Amino acid sequence: MFESGLVFRDVNGVTEQPERIAGIAVGKAYPAQWGELSRDVDFYDVKADLTALFGPIASSLVYVSSTHPALHPGQCAEIRVDDTVVGVIGHLHPELIRAQKLSTAAVAFELDLQAALV
């Protein structure tokens, strides 16, 4: 599931409205098959999707360990392009998993939409 739209943030007393795209993946990465067991979606599945989204500049993507209040401590990374932070990715915080009554972990991301459209 994903969504795009404007977010509102205060930068030194000025309200900015950058465009964002965010998504969450939860559940099975694919159904059980005769040659391989089913497994839950993970960080690397979503990372691969983001790499495909960035297309021609995907080789410039760098993932740097970080923190975010909605994401699991130690399982979160900033997404950078040429030393500029363009987003965040990680597993949802366990408290959010419990509050939403999810039966499995979920991986979420948020990106600066303009960075992804380069």
Side-chain angles (χ1 to χ4, degrees), residues 82-95:
D82 298 326
D83 295 326
T84 300
V85 177
V86 297
V88 64
I89 181 175
H91 282 91
L92 279 186
H93 197 287
E95 291 177 9

Side-chain angles (χ1 to χ4, degrees), residues 2 14 17-18 23 26 29 40 43 46-47 53 59 62 65 68 72 81 83 85 90 94 103-104 109 115-116 118:
F2 71 94
V14 177
Q17 299 179 44
V26 64
D40 289 336
F43 176 90
V46 177
K47 182 181 173 191
L53 177 68
S59 62
V62 177
S65 180
H68 187 282
H72 192 298
V81 174
D83 295 326
V85 177
S103 60
T104 185
F109 71 89
V118 173

Side-chain angles (χ1 to χ4, degrees), residues 97-112:
I97 296 289
R98 281 191 294 279
Q100 296 302 314
K101 299 180 181 161
L102 298 176
S103 60
T104 185
V107 180
F109 71 89
E110 182 181 79
L111 294 173
D112 175 340

